Amino acid sequence: MAEGAVIENLSTRKLLYILLLLALAQIAFFAIGALVAPVPSSSMEFEMVKCSDKTRGTAGHWFHVRPPKCDVIEDLSTYQPSSFDLREIVFIAQMPHARGGLQLEYSPWFQFLLGLMHVEVGYSDNFKYVPGSKLMLEVRMGVRTHASAPDAWEEYVDSNVTRTLDCTIDDSKRSEGNTYQCETLDLFELGSNNYPFYLLNVRIPIDREGCMRDPIGTPNCQIGMVKELHVVAIHQNGGFTLVWLWLKTLLCPVVVAALYWFHRRLSSLPRQRLLLEKAILALGAALVVLDAPLEWLSLFARLPCLLLLSDLRQGLFYLVLFSFWLIFAGEHLIDDPHLNDLTAYRKNLALVGVASLSLLVYDMAERGTQLADPFCSIWSTERGTTLAYVTIYVALACTLAYFAFLFYKIMVVWNTIRRKRAAHIYRTSENRRLKVEGVIYRFKFLMLFTLVCSALTIAAYFMRQFGEASLHGESTDESILTHSTSAFFTGTFGMWNIYVLLLIAMYAPSHKQYQGAQGLIDENEDLMDGERTESNPLTTFLKPATD
């Protein structure tokens, strides 16, 4: 008898032991996120201090509050600038805070640093705000290490930032002293967090001649009376990074070893690999890329591309995983004449390709450009924001359509198996009937596990994309990425590893021989009409049956 897959030949007792062990591992992944890891991200808000600079920026000085180097402006409404361009007013934010006399610091464990800005605009009859006006900021970001003197700031980036200022106010509050409700603006995003201290010096210059010539097209002409600037800095929690890295470090060698074992088993067979086996190999390789704990390198080296690289690895895994599920379901459609042919899935894989391409466009437009300028953002312009939302929502729409199609395809497989089983299983011998029943139940379990895995994966996918959009929208404080529980993320990550390991274990060629195998060989030969080929485990038993 040709050797079948482990899913066919593994005893029920051993299978139950394996499933119990994997179930305990899955519970452990959720428990680690719930009991050990903190929430993925935290935020810190800074009210920018206002300083007067008589040199109007020509001297290139840094302004900071620790140690004090700032002629503080208490109230902008009473401050009398010496010139119309307002370049003598400097807004500063020194990050992170000092608390209880102790200077806090950022750590490479925080992985990334995202800066958002909130502009406080006061209602004024003299300086009127016009909806959709352009806000331009001259921004300098300085960095400092532990070895540097407290006032020795090194320039990290110098950039001009233009954002659209969208504010509203109730008609009942249109009087002096009241404040507009303004949307949060993107300011910067650092793909790694390799400096303990950061300093922002921001100016809001006004071009007087430009405002007289074209007040609508010239930035800062119709932004109203700016009272305060606030910066919100969001970073990944170091405790979550530690848990996440150790999970990857422990799981990656396990997946590599399992994938190598699966490859060795396939190489020992006297036939070419089936499409399903190639898909499992590709899925295992994509999981190895995802599991590789490259983040350890960011603790010792400055890697501004780390955030983009993490997104690309995640996107690659989603692409291979979603493609695998279509192949996995399709290869078990027993009556399908196009089995073991990848070209037969080209239309089915179109949705996966469109979703992946959409997110690739977003990542390259957003985080790709931020490698050169962290203050550059696709969300900074109306067209860029539209493009960002379009790519995200197209990807989500394709994902929903994909899940509906996958569910339909699995139901077709399920009904086909049930029909074949009810019509023909009684014709086989008792030994073969028990064998087929066992394979069917095991396959049904894998199908159910696939549905659960796909549902949770798509839920995690939605959480990530909606969380990304809400960070750049009006719901920054309620973003999933800053207030979600870590249990869902660690549990989903563990589930991916468990699912792939289970597939590798179940679909690897088995070396086990059965007592009474000759009887099965004879029966298979009669039913196969002289055709002796290997296929996937379920097809091995049910394909010979005809209506």
Side-chain angles (χ1 to χ4, degrees), residues 43-45 97-104:
S43 62
M44 186 177 291
E45 184 172 354
H97 285 303
R99 292 178 179 172
L102 179 65
Q103 173 64 63
L104 303 180

Side-chain angles (χ1 to χ4, degrees), residues 8 12 53 160 163 174 210 229 231 239 318 340 403 452 472 544:
E8 304 173 22
T12 302
D53 175 21
N160 289 337
R163 303 289 189 261
R174 292 182 179 275
L229 295 182
V231 172
Y318 279 138
N340 209 35
F403 182 72
V452 173
H472 302 280

Side-chain angles (χ1 to χ4, degrees), residues 404-445:
F405 179 74
L406 178 65
F407 184 81
Y408 162 76
K409 202 161 189 177
I410 290 179
M411 291 300 101
V412 171
V413 175
W414 198 283
N415 291 332
T416 303
I417 295 172
R418 184 179 60 182
R419 177 167 48 84
K420 291 283 187 179
R421 174 180 176 275
H424 302 289
I425 202 170
Y426 70 90
R427 299 179 183 176
T428 63
S429 65
E430 182 66 18
N431 191 11
R432 179 177 170 82
R433 185 185 68 81
L434 294 175
K435 180 70 171 158
V436 173
E437 289 279 8
V439 174
I440 288 175
Y441 287 135
R442 296 174 189 190
F443 175 75
K444 285 184 175 180
F445 169 78

Side-chain angles (χ1 to χ4, degrees), residues 188-361:
F188 65 87
E189 185 168 17
L190 302 177
S192 60
N193 204 345
N194 298 112
Y195 293 95
F197 312 108
Y198 294 86
L199 175 66
L200 290 177
N201 280 191
V202 179
R203 301 174 193 264
I204 310 178
I206 297 179
D207 181 358
R208 183 172 187 175
E209 294 182 359
C211 291
M212 295 177 62
R213 182 177 60 254
D214 182 14
I216 298 178
T218 305
N220 300 337
C221 296
Q222 298 177 326
I223 59 175
M225 184 177 64
V226 176
K227 299 172 62 177
E228 302 284 352
L229 295 182
H230 302 264
V231 172
V232 179
I234 301 174
H235 63 268
Q236 183 167 301
N237 281 325
F240 180 83
T241 304
L242 177 63
V243 172
W244 194 253
L245 277 179
W246 275 114
L247 285 178
K248 286 190 168 188
T249 303
L250 296 175
L251 286 172
C252 189
V254 176
V255 178
V256 170
L259 194 62
Y260 176 74
W261 171 80
F262 185 68
H263 168 73
R264 288 287 302 272
R265 284 290 182 92
L266 293 178
S267 299
S268 65
L269 295 178
R271 61 163 174 82
Q272 292 185 346
R273 295 170 182 174
L274 303 174
L275 177 59
L276 183 60
E277 294 166 344
K278 294 177 182 178
I280 293 176
L281 281 173
L283 181 60
L287 183 62
V288 170
V289 173
L290 181 66
D291 283 352
L294 300 180
E295 292 83 355
W296 285 114
L297 299 177
S298 68
L299 303 180
F300 310 101
R302 294 169 184 170
L303 299 175
C305 63
L306 184 63
L307 194 58
L308 175 61
L309 184 60
S310 297
D311 284 349
L312 294 178
R313 291 196 296 165
Q314 186 80 52
L316 174 65
F317 179 73
Y318 279 138
L319 173 64
V320 178
L321 180 63
F322 287 3
S323 301
F324 169 80
W325 283 332
L326 291 177
I327 296 173
F328 178 66
E331 288 301 288
H332 289 90
L333 284 173
I334 302 161
D335 295 326
D336 192 338
H338 301 291
L339 294 178
N340 209 35
D341 182 9
L342 182 61
T343 60
Y345 297 93
R346 59 183 182 275
K347 293 182 180 180
N348 297 348
L349 297 176
L351 290 174
V352 180
V354 171
S356 301
L357 181 61
S358 297
L359 293 181
L360 179 61
V361 169

